[in-house]
Amino acid sequence: QKEVEQNSGPLSVPEGAIASLNCTYSDRGSQSFFWYRQYSGKSPELIMSIYSNGDKEDGRFTAQLNKASQYVSLLIRDSQPSDSATYLCADSGGGADGLTFGKGTHLIIQP
Amino acid sequence: SQTIHQWPATLVQPVGSPLSLECTVEGTSNPNLYWYRQAAGRGLQLLFYSVGIGQISSEVPQNLSASRPQDRQFILSSKKLLLSDSGFYLCAWSPTTSGEIQETQYFGPGTRLLVL
């Protein structure tokens, strides 16, 4: 069975610092990877998607993918209190199949 | 732009009662549609997905069923709810997949179900 593993946290980071979130996946056939942010009581919202090895940057967010190590990470620069949320990592084997999610990492940005 | 709606937002139901949750998408045609459940202490679990009208794939054996009577409508049902059906039910859509790459999925606001 496909699995996505994340450290549940909480991960506490001072405001203005870099938050680093990590994720590993079990299926070597996975081709698509996603980071979602979920505030308490709300539905997940997309942060970034990544499909190729290397880094992908979007504003304060950088996603990193290493398929050889089956590892995905998300860096948040200049962390803000509004970044405090649970971050969900997900992967997909492709096509129209659904996503496999990790249980999420709870991030707390300390003012 | 595309919009996804879910209702009701919250629901409290007794054990053994029926269930019907509805999801509709606006602003796109022939989307892929998905039902997920998020239970306390567990990650998001895929329940069903659909690539077209009347086409339903089930991921987890359970007492739930799904239907897609129209292109942009996805319904989750149960004839008799169990206590273990409590959770946060999320509908998601993605553009029609043109190749092997999974397109991004976008989530609706969710329905919080409590079975007593």
Side-chain angles (χ1 to χ4, degrees):
Chain A
Q1 181 157 346
K2 293 174 52 177
E3 290 185 341
V4 174
E5 300 287 342
Q6 296 181 256
N7 188 321
S8 61
L11 174 65
S12 187
V13 174
E15 183 176 357
I18 296 175
S20 178
L21 305 165
N22 305 312
C23 167
T24 59
Y25 60 94
S26 65
D27 185 1
R28 285 198 171 275
S30 292
Q31 301 184 41
S32 310
F33 305 88
F34 305 87
W35 283 100
Y36 288 84
R37 177 176 64 198
Q38 186 175 26
Y39 293 113
S40 180
K42 302 295 185 182
S43 63
E45 54 181 332
L46 179 74
I47 298 292
M48 294 191 67
S49 59
I50 186 167
Y51 306 101
S52 304
N53 277 328
D55 295 359
K56 179 181 178 183
E57 186 174 321
D58 183 1
R60 295 187 297 113
F61 300 94
T62 299
Q64 300 173 319
L65 173 60
N66 184 326
K67 290 186 177 180
S69 300
Q70 296 177 243
Y71 179 89
V72 190
S73 66
L74 179 70
L75 301 178
I76 307 175
R77 290 180 298 281
D78 188 23
S79 297
Q80 303 297 309
S82 59
D83 294 325
S84 297
T86 296
Y87 288 79
L88 305 175
C89 174
D91 75 347
S92 172
D97 292 353
L99 302 180
T100 300
F101 282 85
K103 292 184 179 180
T105 297
H106 182 41
L107 175 65
I108 299 172
I109 305 301
Q110 296 177 319
Chain B
S1 64
Q2 298 82 18
T3 309
I4 179 169
H5 303 279
Q6 286 187 248
W7 63 90
T10 60
L11 194 58
V12 180
Q13 291 285 92
V15 169
S17 63
L19 174 73
S20 180
L21 303 181
E22 190 165 342
C23 169
T24 59
V25 181
E26 296 177 354
T28 186
S29 296
N30 196 31
N32 295 328
L33 296 172
Y34 306 85
W35 279 111
Y36 291 86
R37 177 171 61 199
Q38 189 173 39
R42 300 185 64 179
L44 275 161
Q45 180 186 33
L46 178 67
L47 302 176
F48 301 95
Y49 69 93
S50 171
V51 299
I53 295 174
Q55 301 179 62
I56 307 295
S57 296
S58 174
E59 290 293 307
V60 181
Q62 60 222 330
N63 67 320
L64 300 172
S65 62
S67 63
R68 185 169 177 175
Q70 300 181 42
D71 181 44
R72 290 169 288 179
Q73 183 185 31
F74 206 21
I75 297 172
L76 182 70
S77 303
S78 174
K79 292 182 179 178
K80 287 186 177 182
L81 284 169
L82 307 173
L83 285 174
S84 57
D85 291 324
S86 294
F88 192 33
Y89 286 81
L90 291 155
C91 181
W93 76 274
S94 70
T96 303
T97 304
S98 57
E100 289 301 312
I101 297 298
Q102 167 70 59
E103 299 284 351
T104 298
Q105 294 184 15
Y106 301 93
F107 287 86
T111 294
R112 199 163 299 279
L113 172 66
L114 178 60
V115 182
L116 300 175

